[in-house]
Amino acid sequence: MTVAVFFGCTFIAFGPAVALFVFTIARDPLRVIFLIAGAFFWLVSLLLSSLVWFITVQISNKNSATQQTGLLIFGVVLSVLLQEAFRYGYYRLLKKANEGLLALSQEDTMPISIRQLAYVSGLGFGFMSGAFSVVNILSDSLGPGTVGIHGDSQHYFISSAFMTLAIILLHMFWGVVFFESCERQRWWGLGAVVISHLVVSCVSFVNPHYQGSLIPTYIILSVMAAWAYLCAGGSLRNLKLCLTCKDKDFLLANHRPR
Amino acid sequence: MLKGLMFLCVLCSSVEQKIYVVLNETVPCVRLLNATHQIGCQSSISGDTGVLHVLETESDLDWILSSGPHPPYMVIMETAFFNRSVMMRMKNSSRVAGVAVIISKTGLADNFSPHTTCPNQNTGVYSESYGSDLANCNGTVWNPLGNGLSYEDFSFPVFALKDENQTQVLRKCYEDHNQRVNGSAPQYPLCAMQLFSHMHAVTDTVTCMRRTDLQNRFSINPEVLCDPLSDFNVWTSTRPLNNSAKGHAADESVVIAATRLDGRSFFWEQAPAAEGTVSGIVTLLATIQALYPVTQEAPPPRNIFFSFFQGEAFDYIGSSKMVYDMEKNDFVIDMNNVHSMLEIGQVGLRSGQRLWMHSDPVSRQNKSVDTEVSEEEGKLSLFSHALSRSQPLPPSSFQRFLRARRIPGLVLADHNTSFTNRYYESMYDDAENLNVTYPPGLTPDEQLVYETDAAKSLAEVATLVARSLYLQAGGEEKNLNNITADPKIVAQLLYGFLVQKNNSWFRSLLPPEVTKKGVNSILSPGPPQFYIGLGPRVHGPAHSVTRFVQYILANLTGTVTNLTESQCQNPSELSTENKDVNQTIPQCIVTSLFNILI
């Protein structure tokens, strides 16, 4: 039964993200490289925030429960802010790298647009964040037992998997919106991304009332999805044409000469 | 999900703590091999998991074996159900993943012996060629209450739950999640348990040794698949024997006084062995204490050789080794030096002050042996009764000596035909079984010196044995009144061996380097366990019981010398020197006391 839980939760958490990777990123080596670099940036931000948290825990009073909870909230907020800071740092790095790439390449156009970079880096952040969220939980789900012997809710594994799915997709959408806001100098967009990230992270303190944390997260996910779609140049008309396969521009543009 | 582990899980993640509860105070049943068979219990390599069910009534047994919808089950067995019929039904069922037995005195039947009805029947002296009508307990069944569970081969793990608080945790988990409501089956999620006791050894010793050999030869990191049961015998004598001279000792005629040092039960390293072993050890030690001063003042013509054999529960490991060494001239004496033998069997539960002397009818068919034995009986006849000539010997070390040479000898016991011990070789053969109980309100030091009735009874037996040994060795009757066993020493020995080994007297006997060892010190709380154990490679120099007997003997038979501490540590030419520390001044004692690796 528990191997089933392990595979089920893995596929729930990583399924859509891996599908996106396979269909849109895997063929282009440049995109893969930027995805992995994005993942690495997220990892460094996690390293810094965990260093700060570790030090503060060591110097704190370990017996006081309120202090520990306060420290946890502080840790979460700090981590969110650091992640967004590193996203901004990655944006600056990519801008500089793009200029360099243009100088090196033999064609006149940029090999990869900033919008594609936004999508790829967001997904990279998402993969690494999802891995760190859920891999420990998955390894515990492999044993013969499930959560609940001390009265905790049994839905721990599956709600963790759904939460991770939401986080991965959210990182991707945040990446798109963030880079677009930076390009257009729309600072309120940046602020919205940071605030929605903080809201999603802090709402997880409501657990184990999983409805309380998952529902707001998915609402924010759909809002961000729509916003990212609009940022990427989509509109309702495009959507209708795409779904009924009548968009000639799209078909022509994607018709590659052999 | 409850885990019964053989080792502690120290750094669990917090998610694991929400899933598993680790049980610490558990004792497994392990696999044992001999040349042809395997016995004991085994789990699969990643543990066996099953849904918990508490076995309290017959309907529970039906639920587990046939009607329950969530097999395999992990059975929490109440004490009353731990018997042969239930365990064999579990063994034959595929719906049982493992058993955890609650060890308690409530609900215990009035007898329980997991040993066989005829202990050591294939390695004693009676066989097709020697007393064939007495072999295989045809003459007398020694342990009729035995159910043979210790010698069955179970393919699932069996653990013993000794801690009442932990058992309560299990029961609560069962009641919260697994109980049937109005006859309908409980729904998932259910409380379950996982037991780990994987054994690498299989089939028999030959296979295991061959595989270990292959590992040692071809593997970079050889894994030991099985360990031999090994430990030390302890022996001493009233006149010093030169340990470096092996083979026949010139002009030595020796009377051997022997007893066993070990016991066993169904579970690993649990063997309180009160009536089965401690009664013999305490009696022989008290005999030595009574006899030693007189043998130094008025030495009898023959030497008296005291021997404590280890491993007798497992086909006479200790005594067969000594006989083997004697026959190969690899021991200080050989069979020609042995005049006669007196063995002390189970002597703790005398009813009406009677002891029985068992002798071997087959060797008594020889006239000279018969006369010798009758003489020996005569010396013991003050308290004891001789037995009919047709009854065989009970299981005893003397049988191994008889296999080599028909020497005259007797085995002293408190039982006539079958054992009076109703808990032979089980976990319930403890102080209560030997009627060693202390009135409430005594401090440990007061309990140490309190003389129970059992202590007085064993002191009487020891006095009898000492006097008859002295006579048997050719000593004069006028010295007999000086030979008395001290009931206070017997009381201290009984307290140390049955109730608490970490007491002030034992601490004063052991040298500081032995007592200082921390968590795994041999002076851990509680009574000592008499299981033979795995010997020097795994357990350190010697098992705790062997050590205690060695140092007690040193205290009773040694003489204080004036050597300093460093001089004491270096062995001298003639005899080993044992350092004895009393509470105020460390002393160095010279004894003629030896350990023989078996």
Side-chain angles (χ1 to χ4, degrees):
Chain A
M1 178 203 129
T2 52
V3 175
V5 167
F6 172 77
F7 279 113
C9 288
T10 311
F11 293 149
I12 288 175
F14 291 108
V18 169
L20 282 169
F21 177 80
V22 165
F23 290 126
T24 59
I25 298 183
R27 288 228 191 108
D28 190 344
L30 211 52
R31 293 183 197 173
V32 174
I33 292 171
F34 283 117
L35 178 107
I36 294 180
F40 176 71
F41 263 69
W42 187 89
L43 201 55
V44 176
S45 85
L46 181 72
L47 178 68
L48 276 179
S49 55
S50 61
L51 203 63
V52 172
W53 185 74
F54 184 75
I55 293 173
T56 48
V57 161
Q58 291 302 319
I59 59 180
S60 75
N61 174 14
K62 293 212 176 112
N63 292 328
S64 156
T66 43
Q67 217 183 69
Q68 294 299 313
T69 331
L71 220 54
L72 198 59
I73 297 178
F74 163 71
V76 166
V77 169
L78 178 72
S79 174
V80 168
L81 294 176
L82 270 176
Q83 283 175 45
E84 297 305 328
F86 269 74
R87 206 194 296 273
Y88 182 69
Y90 194 45
Y91 168 73
R92 299 304 301 261
L93 184 69
L94 284 180
K95 289 292 280 183
K96 288 226 169 100
N98 244 352
E99 292 163 19
L101 270 178
L102 190 58
L104 279 176
S105 78
Q106 287 155 347
E107 300 170 23
D108 286 332
T109 53
M110 303 236 278
I112 183 165
S113 77
I114 197 72
R115 280 199 181 137
Q116 289 176 16
L117 278 176
Y119 160 66
V120 155
S121 73
L123 195 56
F125 269 50
F127 263 120
M128 202 46 114
S129 164
F132 271 79
S133 299
V134 94
V135 157
N136 268 339
I137 298 171
L138 286 178
S139 81
D140 280 324
S141 76
L142 261 180
T146 185
V147 173
I149 196 165
H150 293 297
D152 305 299
S153 157
Q154 298 162 51
H155 299 118
Y156 182 71
F157 291 133
I158 197 142
S159 53
S160 302
F162 274 110
M163 191 69 172
T164 309
L165 167 66
I167 294 274
I168 296 178
L169 295 177
L170 271 171
H171 268 292
M172 183 178 69
F173 298 141
W174 284 328
V176 171
V177 173
F178 194 97
F179 278 36
E180 185 74 16
S181 307
C182 285
E183 285 286 296
R184 302 262 174 89
Q185 311 276 338
R186 287 202 295 224
W187 306 116
W188 55 271
L190 275 185
V193 165
V194 176
I195 287 176
S196 62
H197 195 166
L198 276 172
V199 167
V200 167
S201 292
C202 290
V203 92
S204 68
F205 283 111
V206 181
N207 286 338
H209 300 290
Y210 296 119
Q211 323 83 291
S213 68
L214 280 176
I215 294 178
T217 308
Y218 274 85
I219 292 176
I220 294 183
L221 175 70
S222 21
V223 167
M224 293 304 302
W227 192 356
Y229 179 67
L230 291 172
C231 282
S235 64
L236 268 178
R237 184 180 153 273
N238 281 353
L239 190 60
K240 223 174 10 173
L241 285 174
C242 175
L243 285 176
T244 51
C245 290
K246 279 192 191 148
D247 187 345
K248 287 198 203 111
D249 292 333
F250 174 75
L251 291 172
L252 277 174
N254 276 308
H255 180 73
R256 289 216 181 98
R258 305 216 185 240
Chain B
M1 195 46 231
L2 294 159
K3 253 186 190 163
L5 292 170
M6 285 179 73
F7 45 87
L8 270 182
C9 177
V10 177
L11 280 176
C12 291
S13 76
S14 53
V15 178
E16 262 193 78
Q17 281 163 0
K18 285 186 193 290
I19 306 179
Y20 304 106
V21 171
V22 177
L23 302 174
N24 296 333
E25 298 289 322
T26 55
V27 180
C29 141
V30 297
R31 172 163 283 159
L32 294 162
L33 305 171
N34 73 359
T36 48
H37 289 85
Q38 66 180 30
I39 59 175
C41 327
Q42 147 103 342
S43 80
S44 34
I45 190 152
S46 51
D48 282 312
T49 315
V51 172
L52 267 188
H53 198 84
V54 176
L55 178 52
E56 289 167 309
T57 59
E58 276 300 317
S59 61
D60 285 323
L61 196 54
D62 283 323
W63 183 263
I64 292 169
L65 294 176
S66 46
S67 53
H70 307 117
Y73 283 97
M74 188 62 73
V75 181
I76 308 284
M77 195 180 269
E78 292 279 355
T79 319
F81 278 88
F82 187 43
N83 53 40
R84 190 179 175 85
S85 65
V86 172
M87 286 301 282
M88 296 313 276
R89 283 174 76 178
M90 302 258 161
K91 179 178 165 176
N92 293 331
S93 158
S94 60
R95 289 166 52 107
V96 174
V99 173
V101 182
I102 299 176
I103 303 289
S104 81
K105 294 282 176 103
T106 56
L108 178 62
D110 76 335
N111 64 76
F112 179 73
S113 171
H115 212 74
T116 48
T117 51
C118 196
N120 289 339
Q121 68 190 72
N122 297 321
T123 41
V125 70
Y126 299 110
S127 62
E128 291 299 310
S129 53
Y130 187 104
S132 53
D133 53 331
L134 301 169
N136 297 326
C137 289
N138 258 336
T140 317
V141 178
W142 295 109
N143 189 24
L145 303 169
N147 53 31
L149 275 179
S150 291
Y151 288 84
E152 290 291 333
D153 181 22
F154 293 103
S155 57
F156 50 75
V158 180
F159 274 68
L161 300 170
K162 293 174 72 179
D163 185 2
E164 181 54 41
N165 293 337
Q166 224 163 57
T167 315
Q168 214 27 53
V169 167
L170 290 172
R171 275 193 216 271
K172 189 156 181 323
C173 190
Y174 168 73
E175 279 156 22
D176 287 342
H177 300 110
N178 290 20
Q179 250 185 345
R180 285 179 269 167
V181 178
N182 293 338
S184 67
Q187 294 300 315
Y188 277 111
L190 296 170
C191 194
M193 185 152 79
Q194 187 176 28
L195 295 175
F196 292 89
S197 66
H198 182 69
M199 305 285 141
H200 290 301
V202 277
T203 319
D204 55 33
T205 310
V206 178
T207 311
C208 189
M209 288 181 72
R210 186 190 75 220
R211 290 181 186 178
T212 312
D213 213 25
L214 279 172
Q215 288 262 343
N216 284 336
R217 265 195 254 169
F218 296 118
S219 167
I220 298 174
N221 197 6
E223 202 177 328
V224 175
L225 297 176
C226 46
D227 289 299
L229 292 173
S230 91
D231 198 37
F232 295 86
N233 289 330
V234 181
W235 62 264
T236 184
S237 54
T238 49
R239 272 209 304 269
L241 292 166
N242 187 358
N243 194 30
S244 40
K246 309 279 184 192
H248 183 79
D251 299 325
E252 281 281 352
S253 176
V254 161
V255 177
I256 301 181
T259 188
R260 62 185 289 197
L261 260 187
D262 73 324
R264 68 164 301 197
S265 73
F266 187 76
F267 298 102
W268 167 246
E269 279 209 322
Q270 302 298 305
E275 154 73 343
T277 303
V278 174
S279 59
I281 297 179
V282 168
T283 309
L284 195 57
L285 285 173
T287 304
I288 295 172
Q289 176 261 323
L291 205 45
Y292 215 75
V294 179
T295 52
Q296 302 307 304
E297 283 172 16
R302 297 194 190 98
N303 203 348
I304 308 178
F305 183 90
F306 301 101
S307 176
F308 294 83
F309 293 119
Q310 182 71 276
E312 299 299 275
F314 293 104
D315 296 332
Y316 306 118
I317 302 179
S319 49
S320 60
K321 165 73 166 153
M322 187 176 277
V323 171
Y324 179 76
D325 280 345
M326 279 184 180
E327 289 187 306
K328 288 183 52 181
N329 291 329
D330 201 13
F331 196 59
V332 288
I333 52 177
D334 71 353
M335 292 304 282
N336 291 324
N337 288 120
V338 177
H339 170 262
S340 55
M341 184 159 170
L342 175 65
E343 180 170 343
I344 304 181
Q346 304 180 68
V347 292
L349 291 176
R350 291 195 288 156
S351 63
Q353 312 298 317
R354 277 184 312 177
L355 274 179
W356 303 89
M357 298 183 281
H358 297 260
S359 58
D360 171 41
V362 176
S363 63
R364 286 182 84 167
Q365 287 161 2
N366 178 331
K367 270 271 179 290
S368 61
V369 175
D370 191 31
T371 355
E372 290 279 347
V373 178
S374 305
E375 268 185 46
E376 209 178 334
E377 280 174 353
K379 295 178 179 109
L380 276 166
S381 60
L382 211 54
F383 272 81
S384 39
H385 294 225
L387 281 169
S388 72
R389 304 293 179 90
S390 57
Q391 185 154 352
L393 281 175
S396 51
S397 320
F398 178 45
Q399 289 198 20
R400 295 298 303 196
F401 282 81
L402 273 181
R403 268 169 86 127
R405 180 80 60 94
R406 294 188 187 196
I407 53 176
L410 288 176
V411 177
L412 212 56
D414 58 17
H415 55 88
N416 181 2
T417 46
S418 47
F419 295 152
T420 33
N421 189 358
R422 296 190 321 274
Y423 298 102
Y424 183 64
E425 311 278 42
S426 79
M427 287 184 73
Y428 302 107
D429 187 9
D430 53 9
E432 213 180 301
N433 191 30
L434 202 50
N435 296 327
V436 171
T437 46
Y438 298 92
L442 292 181
T443 66
D445 280 324
E446 284 168 0
Q447 282 181 347
L448 177 65
V449 293
Y450 180 82
E451 290 175 23
T452 53
D453 290 332
K456 293 182 189 140
S457 161
L458 285 179
E460 276 174 17
V461 176
T463 310
L464 166 72
V465 170
R467 289 182 182 178
S468 43
L469 276 176
Y470 188 70
L471 289 175
Q472 184 73 1
E476 293 164 30
E477 282 207 29
K478 62 176 170 57
N479 294 322
L480 278 187
N481 284 333
N482 297 336
I483 303 178
T484 7
D486 184 3
K488 181 159 166 288
I489 298 227
V490 176
Q492 284 178 320
L493 286 170
L494 278 178
Y495 182 75
F497 282 123
L498 288 179
V499 180
Q500 175 69 267
K501 58 190 185 294
N502 189 4
N503 58 60
S504 49
W505 188 48
F506 276 18
R507 274 200 300 274
S508 71
L509 294 175
L510 297 171
E513 65 261 15
V514 172
T515 53
K516 252 193 290 192
K517 271 191 197 143
V519 178
N520 285 329
S521 155
I522 63 174
L523 282 182
S524 49
Q529 300 297 333
F530 291 81
Y531 189 74
I532 175 177
L534 294 177
R537 192 184 74 83
V538 177
H539 278 164
H543 189 220
S544 64
V545 170
T546 320
R547 283 283 208 171
F548 290 143
V549 169
Q550 180 185 347
Y551 285 107
I552 293 170
L553 274 180
N555 180 269
L556 293 175
T557 64
T559 46
V560 184
T561 62
N562 277 335
L563 298 178
T564 63
E565 189 169 333
S566 50
Q567 280 174 327
C568 199
Q569 310 272 15
N570 296 324
S572 73
E573 290 170 327
L574 275 179
S575 46
T576 54
E577 315 216 349
N578 288 309
K579 186 164 168 220
D580 184 358
V581 182
N582 73 18
Q583 276 139 345
T584 49
I585 314 161
Q587 297 172 316
C588 191
I589 293 188
V590 173
T591 65
S592 63
L593 170 66
F594 295 93
N595 287 353
I596 303 296
L597 181 60
I598 55 173

